[in-house]
Amino acid sequence: MKVRIKFAKSGIARFIGHLDVMRYFQKAVRRAGIAIRYSGGFSPHQLMSFAAPLGVGITSHGEYLDIEVEDDEETASMKERLNQVMAEGFSIVSCLVLPKEAGNAMSMVAAARYTLAFRPGYSPENAKDWFRSLVQFYEQKEVRITKKTKKGEKEIDLKPLIYQISAEVSNDSFLSETSDSSEVTPVFPVLSMLISTGSTENIKPELVLDAYYQHLGQERPAFAFIIQREEVYARQSPESSNNAGAFLPLEAFGIRPGHGQGGCLE
Amino acid sequence: MKKLALSDEILLSIQQPARYIGGEVNMIVKDPSQVDIRFAMCFPDVYDIGMSHLGIQILYDMFNRRKDTYCERVYSPWVDLDKVMREKNIPLFALESQEPIKNFDFLGITLQYEMCYTNVLQILDLSRIPLHAADRGEDDPLVIGGGPCAYNPEPLADFFDLFYIGEGETAYDRLLDLYREHKQKGKGRKAFLEQAASVPGIYVPSLYNVEYHEDGTIKAFVSNTPFAPVKVTKELVMDLDHVSYLEKPLVPYIKVAQDRVVLEIMRGCIRGCRFCQAGNVYRPLRERGLDYLKEHAKKMLISTGHEEISLSSLSSSDYTHLEDLVSFLMEEFQGKGVNISLPSLRIDAFSLDVMRQIQDVKKSSLTFAPEAGSQRLRDVINKGLTEEDILHGAAQAFHGGWNRVKLYFMLGLPTETVEDMEGIALLSEKVAETYYDEIPKEQRHGKVQVVASSSFFVPKPFTPFQWARMCTKDEFIERANIVRRKFREMKNFKSLKYNWHEAELTVLEGVLARGDRRVGAVIEEAYRQGALFDSWSEYFQNEIWMNAFADCGVSIDFYTTRERKLDEIFPWDFIDAGVSKEFLVREWQKAMQEEVTPNCRQKCSGCGALQFKGGVCHESKN
């Protein structure tokens, strides 16, 4: 039985890199007593795969991993059992059974939504206007930039890989990195974007910023932005267009526990 | 959400930021304002090394069970952060609260190996605690040292307020109760230290003076106050089944050296190898009960989710219930995604059978530790392993499917001759030949691989060899070359590999191991000139140390190559480590006669550990 786990990563957990997050979940699953299945062979490993790696320093409301569990594993209490063994900064948002024919998370990932804010001390006079100008910049027909790849460099057109971009406001405490979560966070300007993610054409939010800085004739200052991933998406169907509405959060592919066992879809 | 001591900009520009944020699974969270005592527990090396150390985990758990105490952890900032902290004036902080060490009542530093001493100074310096205990004020934390190097604490005497000699589970409650009482009554630092000296196992260096003869040896080691005992007897746990052991180890995020549950099965050793300090100072052998271990194994695996469990002791093959324990581990955990890792066991039918089941035979190697290349020298060091044992064990291993063998040796042992050195190559060659003799061509999985490695012998306090002469750097290198040349002459030299250790670092270890208080100045000078992370080959700079010795006018040879007289007063003589000096002298003399001593279970040799009235000394009387 396949289960899709959605988790949030905030606070100090943002400094834990992807490889360490994977190892962390391998142990968490054991602590929670979840009957995860193992591969065969001499050094068996857990059947666990992550949808999309997240860079160090970035918080997230929506990260995903799929695990394969024994058919008699109790899924209704899985979220609670995992939350009981979580460490600071990690929390389980949902645990959903996947239908048998559901695709592998990693290969399905097509897009991700990010929110960006200026780090305190780095903001220009008017952050709202700065973000609006960036959004206007992306209204052009094409936006070319040199992207570094494993093999060297290549020039790409960013425009078609940015499915949606807008200047917004937010009061999310994850993003403002307030140490005291009881404080009411005031509203602040942010940049929201839905961009191409995954195995085919993956771009990072920093690249979207870099193209704009290049246009301004400036260099992006290190540490100027706080970045957060809000959600990770797959296409509704392989032929879907690239309208923002054509994407579904990975969560949407699951069945809520209690709304039907994995077996009844056969 | 906790506020971090380091800004995002810093954390995102250094290696492994997870080293400095705490928040690990099973970390203890308390409100510092609600406790009477704040204790910062330190391993003076980088987090990745420190978090693999079982001792700190045990003490962390033990201290935090006290309602009036909050124990937090601190490790050496890596070189990149060290630089930033100095530039930006950021004080060293504990992981749990992210608050400066300077705010703590105690800073406890574990001393596991001599080459971490400059890191000890780094910890004090970055915490803004005066390096010299004599310069500390009422508000500075009390700095206490423990661990195996505390058995000769003298090179560090200037830098510590107290030392704890022996195993930490026993006397800390008394010490902390005393401290709390003093604090509540507003009594000062000096008064506390004087009282602390009467707590068993506690050594307060400032309460003693050392006088020297003209020739540099110690003339007298005397207390300068009635509060200080003449001798400090080591503390040890006699009943390992009724002492606190941790059930919820901390689980680091990053991959550390020991990324698994460690089950300590016993303490001490019966073998009496004459070069080994641990085997002597942890006497007598004391085992933990099988049920105790089974219960803790389960609890620790559940609370951590680790995928591997390993056993820890000085000589696990001597654990009485080893077969039952290993069978239990295999039945309970194998096939449930938990690997079992066994330390070097004696190579026999049982261990081979077990290892074949838990290891990928094709990828692992079997280890023997002959330590010396000839039977004569093995008798001198009282290492009971014969050539027949080794070749027979190797043959069994080869039949079991292994084709890789590791052999550990030492160079520079007392009475060593060229014949002994060349014996290393000859023995390795014989192991290789055994493979080809035993395994017919069709059944071989490629060539056999025999890897021999030699470290350089360092005489240690509380061993029969504490009087021995240590080799110079050039002598070490010459000996390694003799061995290397002999390897080249071997018939199967393509199947053999020989490695040897760093000679310069070993010489330094030799000075610090048997050093006295005058060596402290050299450590400080080396630290001020930039020595740090000396146990890391990429950071060790011998030049700095050589200059420090010269600038301080301290002779290396006085501490290393000088053979000691039997009546010489050693810097560590004020400690009673259980083994008597008379016993050590007897063993030293037997070594010169190439006479072996039977192990504790075969025959009691009257080493002095009987005074503790337990463990293996009383085994046959049950």
Side-chain angles (χ1 to χ4, degrees):
Chain A
M1 185 170 43
K2 272 199 248 176
V3 174
R4 179 157 292 168
I5 300 173
K6 181 179 184 182
F7 66 94
K9 194 177 182 234
S10 65
I12 64 171
R14 67 187 182 279
F15 297 108
I16 314 298
H18 182 63
L19 289 176
D20 290 331
V21 170
M22 295 201 305
R23 288 169 354 97
Y24 168 79
F25 273 98
Q26 285 164 6
K27 296 187 208 270
V29 153
R30 270 189 276 263
R31 285 196 299 278
I34 291 170
I36 190 167
R37 296 185 63 216
Y38 287 78
S39 67
F42 210 110
S43 32
H45 54 266
Q46 291 172 330
L47 294 176
M48 175 187 285
S49 71
F50 281 73
L54 187 68
V56 172
I58 303 180
T59 51
S60 177
H61 278 293
E63 293 303 299
Y64 290 88
L65 66 140
D66 289 352
I67 60 174
E68 179 80 47
V69 299
E70 300 296 348
D71 285 339
D72 58 356
E73 172 61 54
E74 217 225 65
T75 51
S77 63
M78 206 184 282
K79 175 181 163 184
E80 202 204 307
R81 282 188 284 150
L82 275 173
N83 269 327
Q84 273 173 7
V85 298
M86 284 293 106
E88 193 184 328
F90 286 100
S91 68
I92 307 298
V93 176
S94 66
C95 284
L96 304 171
V97 176
L98 288 172
K100 260 207 157 96
E101 68 273 11
N104 159 268
M106 203 183 322
S107 56
M108 283 170 72
V109 171
R113 178 169 291 287
Y114 293 91
T115 315
L116 286 76
F118 276 103
R119 191 180 296 283
Y122 291 83
S123 177
E125 278 263 1
N126 194 325
K128 195 157 102 176
D129 283 346
W130 198 94
F131 285 135
R132 282 203 181 133
S133 307
L134 186 152
V135 172
Q136 265 179 349
F137 169 73
Y138 275 99
E139 282 165 7
Q140 302 172 69
K141 276 215 185 90
E142 65 170 31
V143 177
R144 302 204 82 85
I145 188 168
T146 324
K147 178 187 169 190
K148 286 200 181 74
T149 65
K150 283 185 188 144
K151 293 172 196 165
E153 285 183 352
K154 69 175 186 184
E155 212 201 44
I156 56 169
D157 179 11
L158 274 184
K159 179 72 197 240
L161 303 175
I162 298 175
Y163 307 131
Q164 190 267 339
I165 187 163
S166 54
E168 311 279 349
V169 288
S170 168
N171 67 345
D172 186 342
S173 59
F174 270 29
L175 263 180
S176 75
E177 290 178 349
T178 354
S179 51
D180 186 352
S181 49
S182 65
E183 267 177 40
V184 172
T185 317
V187 158
F188 48 92
V190 296
L191 180 66
S192 176
M193 59 175 82
L194 179 69
I195 58 179
S196 175
T197 305
S199 32
T200 22
E201 192 67 70
N202 186 74
I203 56 165
K204 291 188 183 171
E206 291 92 329
L207 198 62
V208 176
L209 295 171
D210 284 341
Y212 182 59
Y213 270 98
Q214 206 178 87
H215 161 77
L216 294 176
Q218 296 168 12
E219 257 210 53
R220 175 169 60 88
F223 314 119
F225 295 90
I226 300 175
I227 302 176
Q228 173 160 286
R229 186 142 81 183
E230 302 295 344
E231 183 60 90
V232 178
Y233 302 86
R235 289 209 157 70
Q236 278 208 45
S237 59
E239 322 81 49
S240 283
S241 63
N242 286 342
N243 298 331
F247 297 108
L248 280 182
L250 288 181
E251 204 175 6
F253 294 84
I255 311 159
R256 269 174 207 287
H259 286 214
Q261 306 303 312
C264 75
L265 281 190
E266 272 131 314
Chain B
M1 235 175 292
K2 171 176 77 180
K3 178 143 173 63
L4 295 173
L6 301 175
S7 68
D8 273 39
E9 285 94 320
I10 293 176
L11 287 168
L12 292 172
S13 58
I14 56 177
Q15 279 180 40
Q16 304 276 38
R19 287 170 175 158
Y20 312 107
I21 61 178
E24 303 96 327
V25 171
N26 295 331
M27 183 185 87
I28 304 289
V29 179
K30 289 191 187 186
D31 180 354
S33 65
Q34 297 298 309
V35 298
D36 298 314
I37 304 172
R38 295 191 74 181
F39 197 109
M41 193 69 232
C42 172
F43 191 107
D45 206 321
V46 75
Y47 177 93
D48 320 27
I49 302 295
M51 277 298 282
S52 304
H53 176 57
L54 182 63
I56 289 203
Q57 294 255 32
I58 293 176
L59 293 181
Y60 178 84
D61 174 82
M62 185 183 83
F63 286 133
N64 281 319
R65 284 179 203 222
R66 286 179 66 111
K67 289 205 164 63
D68 64 356
T69 304
Y70 187 18
C71 177
E72 305 181 42
R73 295 160 297 142
V74 58
Y75 304 92
S76 278
W78 189 238
V79 293
D80 51 7
L81 180 60
D82 176 286
K83 184 159 177 282
V84 170
M85 288 177 85
R86 287 175 204 269
E87 277 166 14
K88 297 196 193 294
N89 240 322
I90 301 172
L92 187 59
F93 54 93
L95 295 183
E96 279 72 1
S97 63
Q98 297 282 307
E99 289 178 19
I101 302 298
K102 200 151 159 69
N103 297 355
F104 284 66
D105 296 284
F106 282 92
L107 169 60
I109 305 181
T110 186
L111 306 163
Q112 295 292 316
Y113 40 90
E114 291 86 352
M115 295 330 299
C116 74
Y117 288 1
T118 49
N119 277 46
V120 168
L121 297 187
Q122 177 215 34
I123 297 283
L124 294 173
D125 208 11
L126 290 180
S127 300
R128 305 205 181 128
I129 298 171
L131 296 189
H132 287 242
D135 297 336
R136 289 171 199 153
E138 295 299 327
D139 289 331
D140 287 311
L142 288 154
V143 183
I144 181 166
C149 294
Y151 280 97
N152 176 20
E154 293 299 273
L156 295 172
D158 289 342
F159 312 117
F160 282 84
D161 295 296
L162 321 98
F163 287 95
Y164 185 119
I165 316 290
E167 297 167 9
E169 291 96 330
T170 55
Y172 264 116
D173 273 336
R174 194 164 143 182
L175 185 70
L176 294 186
D177 287 342
L178 184 68
Y179 174 76
R180 199 187 59 219
E181 206 186 289
H182 269 247
K183 193 174 171 186
Q184 277 162 3
K185 291 186 181 158
K187 293 190 191 167
R189 194 182 188 89
K190 184 159 179 283
F192 171 70
L193 288 174
E194 283 168 353
Q195 290 300 304
S198 63
V199 174
I202 298 295
Y203 163 52
V204 181
S206 58
L207 303 183
Y208 300 84
N209 294 341
V210 187
E211 290 161 32
Y212 302 93
H213 288 300
E214 280 232 14
D215 66 1
T217 58
I218 292 178
K219 183 172 168 192
F221 178 94
V222 278
S223 54
N224 54 39
T225 149
F227 295 102
V230 168
K231 260 207 183 232
V232 178
T233 305
K234 75 170 181 189
E235 282 289 291
L236 73 166
V237 178
M238 287 320 291
D239 183 359
L240 283 172
D241 286 343
H242 292 99
V243 76
S244 82
Y245 192 75
L246 74 165
E247 292 175 0
K248 294 184 175 178
L250 291 155
V251 184
Y253 283 112
I254 63 180
K255 195 151 173 61
V256 300
Q258 284 245 55
D259 187 30
R260 53 198 178 191
V261 166
V262 177
L263 200 57
E264 185 190 37
I265 63 180
M266 59 189 190
R267 292 184 187 172
C269 187
I270 57 172
R271 300 276 152 190
C273 301
R274 294 177 177 138
F275 54 84
C276 181
Q277 182 186 54
N280 276 290
V281 302
Y282 290 120
R283 287 188 173 212
L285 177 83
R286 294 149 288 142
E287 299 188 348
R288 285 202 211 259
L290 190 58
D291 290 332
Y292 182 97
L293 292 176
K294 286 181 180 176
E295 191 195 314
H296 281 88
K298 280 196 203 146
K299 283 184 178 164
M300 290 200 289
L301 280 167
I302 289 174
S303 71
T304 58
H306 273 310
E307 49 269 312
E308 190 169 289
I309 180 167
S310 78
L311 306 182
S312 168
S313 81
L314 294 174
S315 174
S316 295
S317 289
D318 291 330
Y319 181 63
T320 308
H321 307 288
L322 184 69
E323 286 196 34
D324 286 336
L325 180 61
V326 172
S327 303
F328 164 78
L329 291 175
M330 280 170 38
E331 274 159 35
E332 192 78 15
F333 302 119
Q334 257 230 305
K336 290 184 189 154
V338 177
N339 295 331
I340 300 157
S341 159
L342 295 178
S344 303
L345 296 181
R346 191 166 46 228
I347 308 294
D348 58 23
F350 165 69
S351 64
L352 286 178
D353 184 47
V354 164
M355 285 190 278
R356 203 179 303 114
Q357 291 180 57
I358 65 176
Q359 279 175 13
D360 183 355
V361 155
K362 291 194 199 68
K363 291 188 198 148
S364 64
S365 57
L366 279 180
T367 307
F368 295 89
E371 306 294 5
S374 72
Q375 198 55 49
R376 187 203 71 82
L377 190 52
R378 280 194 290 274
D379 289 347
V380 167
I381 65 179
N382 205 37
K383 182 89 199 206
L385 199 59
T386 65
E387 186 169 295
E388 202 198 308
D389 291 330
I390 296 169
L391 296 182
H392 183 64
Q396 283 188 289
F398 294 145
H399 281 290
W402 276 272
N403 65 349
R404 285 187 203 205
V405 174
K406 274 197 223 165
L407 299 170
Y408 287 128
F409 294 96
M410 269 187 280
L411 282 177
L413 289 164
T415 76
E416 186 176 69
T417 63
V418 171
E419 206 185 308
D420 299 318
M421 298 173 220
E422 293 185 338
I424 292 176
L426 294 171
L427 181 56
S428 307
E429 166 65 21
K430 283 194 189 149
V431 170
E433 282 174 13
T434 304
Y435 178 78
Y436 295 112
D437 290 342
E438 295 281 324
I439 313 294
K441 214 172 189 165
E442 329 71 75
Q443 289 172 33
R444 292 179 202 160
H445 298 287
K447 282 211 289 276
V448 70
Q449 242 189 66
V450 177
V451 178
S453 74
S454 65
S455 60
F456 294 124
F457 167 64
V458 178
K460 295 270 169 153
F462 294 110
T463 63
F465 289 165
Q466 60 184 7
W467 290 274
R469 179 192 177 278
M470 185 171 150
C471 291
T472 64
K473 163 183 143 187
D474 291 332
E475 284 165 351
F476 279 135
I477 293 174
E478 198 206 316
R479 291 177 194 216
N481 279 327
I482 291 174
V483 177
R484 196 167 51 91
R485 283 194 290 265
K486 194 70 186 174
F487 265 98
R488 290 228 190 91
E489 293 173 23
M490 298 295 103
K491 192 175 84 184
N492 283 299
F493 85 97
K494 281 192 186 149
S495 301
L496 308 175
K497 195 161 180 261
Y498 172 59
N499 302 320
W500 64 94
H501 280 205
E502 263 259 17
E504 284 173 345
L505 193 65
T506 305
V507 169
L508 207 46
E509 193 188 319
V511 175
L512 298 175
R514 290 187 297 171
D516 55 36
R517 290 187 177 191
R518 296 168 295 186
V519 171
V522 180
I523 300 171
E524 188 174 343
E525 180 59 20
Y527 168 73
R528 293 214 184 280
Q529 296 307 319
L532 195 62
F533 289 103
D534 295 308
S535 61
W536 294 75
S537 55
E538 62 266 43
Y539 291 105
F540 173 60
Q541 291 173 272
N542 197 47
E543 270 298 293
I544 295 181
W545 283 93
M546 294 302 108
N547 291 338
F549 277 104
D551 290 343
C552 295
V554 174
S555 152
I556 292 174
D557 286 314
F558 178 83
Y559 296 99
T560 53
T561 60
R562 183 173 64 90
E563 188 171 312
R564 313 302 201 250
K565 294 210 188 78
L566 285 180
D567 60 358
E568 182 172 332
I569 297 177
F570 290 138
W572 53 91
D573 276 349
F574 68 95
I575 294 172
D576 180 354
V579 293
S580 66
K581 209 168 194 184
E582 293 72 42
F583 167 73
L584 294 175
V585 169
R586 278 202 305 275
E587 284 295 301
W588 173 232
Q589 288 166 337
K590 282 175 89 170
M592 296 303 110
Q593 305 301 315
E594 298 167 16
E595 256 183 73
V596 299
T597 296
N599 71 51
C600 298
R601 284 188 174 134
Q602 290 169 328
K603 182 173 186 288
C604 175
S605 305
C607 72
L610 191 58
Q611 69 173 283
F612 299 107
K613 303 195 175 75
V616 69
C617 308
H618 281 224
E619 235 174 45
S620 54
K621 289 162 192 170
N622 288 339

